[in-house]
Amino acid sequence: MTERSQPTTGAATVEVPHGSRSVVLRVAEVVTETADACSLVFEVPDDLREKFDYKPGQFLTLRIPSELTGSVARCYSLASSPHTDDLPKVTVKRTEGGYGSNWLCDNVKAGDELELLPPSGVFTPKNLDENLLLFGAGSGITPVMSILKSALARGTGRIVLVYANRDADGVIFAAELRELVDKNPQRLSVIHWLEPLQGLPTADSLAALVAPYTEYEAFMCGPKPFMDRVHDALAQLDVPRTRTHAEVFNSLAGDPFADQAPVEVSEEEAADAATVEVELDGEIHELSWPRKQTLVDIMLAKGIDVPYSCQEGECGSCACTVLEGKVEMENAEILDPEDIENGYILGCQARPVTDKLRIQF
């Protein structure tokens, strides 16, 4: 792997962050992964180390300059592992017509600065000792790779990876995966699925392939058609929905880097507010929850460091679980019906319906 040559137009230096939550980091290295994918490795100053502690499978939100809109925000998964890599690394694959991915691959070079939000996301194993069944397609390998390396380094279970690509040239991390298999032959199996050889994967073919691993915890990331087939395959095999985890990214239309305006609550709204008990990072917060405000709104107003990124219901950073009570959500398309049935909600979209609620992040 070698550093990409400098493009004719470099990324602009970022002088100050555009919001209180974002930071500016220097790019330590740009690595060519394939003809259409590169990785950005970031330097993290000592005073930001704690802020940039991350879990396997999480992502960073990058602010990308745009002549039309000033900037766009895009989420990119961390391919690095907090247990094996000194510096955080995101991997970006060009998408046809994708402004953010093409701008990053064309313009960013070592020494440039980018503005980004701290690590976020819930696509991460609770227990690295579990046996893991991992699915990745194309650049969907990125968070899966972070989980895989972390489980090998700190876990004890077996890991099976099914990795689908259009052709062999598109296999990101091909050499690294071969090396990991060579070093961990008893724990790691990698199954490549290449369209020229096997065609497009179907639910039936995937079900037959992974039938021996139905007791494993499943994680998947990739294009929606691929993940739909994986979901169908696991459903055929009666894998419980609670043991199936999917990472989904959508382009963000808003500006998650801007500070949110203070929540204003009238006396009438305050009198009719619900009460909620929120568990976050082992702490319990008892809050008044006005009916017109979202959960993220009221937690930010109280100075609570709630996980969130887009506030549009598009990234899943603020996903949490309703233990008691009921909420309504304006946009919850990122959640599967099974997720909602199991109590999952998006804090940035949730507003209270019942008078009393308990919620856990």
Side-chain angles (χ1 to χ4, degrees):
M1 296 184 293
T2 58
E3 186 172 326
R4 299 171 67 242
S5 59
Q6 293 187 6
T8 55
T9 303
T13 298
V14 182
E15 295 183 358
V16 294
H18 287 75
S20 60
R21 297 171 58 238
S22 59
V23 300
V24 176
L25 294 185
R26 187 179 301 276
V27 177
E29 184 181 7
V30 181
V31 181
T32 298
E33 303 291 359
T34 67
D36 59 358
C38 70
S39 292
L40 310 180
V41 183
F42 292 101
E43 297 176 8
V44 181
D46 289 342
D47 61 331
L48 292 177
R49 286 280 179 179
E50 184 176 349
K51 192 171 188 176
F52 272 80
D53 281 345
Y54 63 96
K55 299 176 183 178
Q58 290 193 307
F59 63 86
L60 301 179
T61 304
L62 276 58
R63 186 177 188 273
I64 301 168
S66 167
E67 293 180 357
L68 296 177
T69 61
S71 69
V72 296
R74 295 291 184 267
C75 302
Y76 294 103
S77 291
L78 287 149
S80 52
S81 163
H83 305 299
T84 64
D85 299 292
D86 293 332
L87 299 177
K89 175 181 76 173
V90 298
T91 300
V92 181
K93 182 177 180 179
R94 294 179 187 271
T95 58
E96 186 176 351
Y99 175 80
S101 61
N102 284 288
W103 189 92
L104 291 170
C105 289
D106 286 337
N107 292 295
V108 179
K109 62 185 184 297
D112 285 336
E113 294 180 338
L114 290 173
E115 184 177 356
L116 39 81
L117 296 175
S120 190
V122 295
F123 185 70
T124 184
K126 293 182 179 179
N127 181 3
L128 290 175
D129 290 323
E130 288 268 13
N131 292 328
L132 300 176
L133 175 58
L134 309 177
F135 296 89
S139 59
I141 188 62
T142 309
V144 169
M145 191 68 171
S146 178
I147 293 170
L148 184 155
K149 292 194 295 183
S150 299
L152 287 175
R154 294 296 177 91
T156 58
R158 285 210 62 208
I159 305 161
V160 175
L161 167 64
V162 179
Y163 186 15
N165 279 282
R166 291 180 178 176
D167 53 50
D169 291 337
V171 179
I172 305 173
F173 310 130
E176 189 174 3
L177 285 169
R178 285 195 297 270
E179 183 179 344
L180 289 170
V181 171
D182 289 343
K183 290 182 178 180
N184 304 273
Q186 303 302 316
R187 293 187 58 205
L188 175 62
S189 299
V190 177
I191 304 169
H192 287 284
W193 188 291
L194 301 177
E195 286 184 29
L197 300 178
Q198 295 136 298
L200 288 171
T202 65
D204 290 344
S205 59
L206 289 171
L209 188 64
V210 302
Y213 315 111
T214 55
E215 299 301 317
Y216 288 25
E217 194 86 4
F219 290 81
M220 68 186 79
C221 185
K224 186 178 185 303
F226 172 78
M227 293 208 291
D228 287 344
R229 295 181 194 117
V230 174
H231 273 302
D232 291 344
L234 297 178
Q236 286 184 29
L237 297 171
D238 295 323
V239 175
R241 185 64 184 81
T242 54
R243 294 180 66 82
T244 302
H245 314 274
E247 180 68 302
V248 180
F249 289 121
N250 294 311
S251 294
L252 307 182
D255 184 5
F257 293 87
D259 287 331
Q260 302 302 310
V263 175
E264 296 183 3
V265 180
S266 67
E267 292 184 6
E268 183 179 353
E269 289 174 325
D272 185 46
T275 58
V276 60
E277 184 180 280
V278 182
E279 181 180 344
L280 173 64
D281 295 332
E283 290 188 39
I284 303 295
H285 305 273
E286 294 185 0
L287 305 171
S288 174
W289 189 355
R291 309 282 176 172
K292 294 183 180 180
Q293 305 297 333
T294 70
L295 181 60
V296 167
D297 286 338
I298 65 164
M299 294 181 71
L300 289 176
K302 292 296 184 181
I304 300 169
D305 191 17
V306 55
Y308 79 97
S309 184
C310 71
Q311 287 203 290
E312 299 170 12
E314 299 290 357
C315 73
S317 300
C318 59
C320 48
T321 306
V322 175
L323 302 179
E324 179 184 337
K326 185 178 179 181
V327 304
E328 59 183 7
M329 292 182 286
E330 185 173 338
N331 175 22
E333 291 183 6
I334 197 172
L335 297 176
D336 291 333
E338 295 90 344
D339 291 328
I340 296 174
E341 186 177 336
N342 289 324
Y344 289 104
I345 64 168
L346 300 176
C348 74
Q349 298 295 303
R351 293 175 173 83
V353 173
T354 53
D355 293 334
K356 185 178 180 181
L357 303 98
R358 284 196 307 126
I359 291 174
Q360 181 181 57
F361 280 86

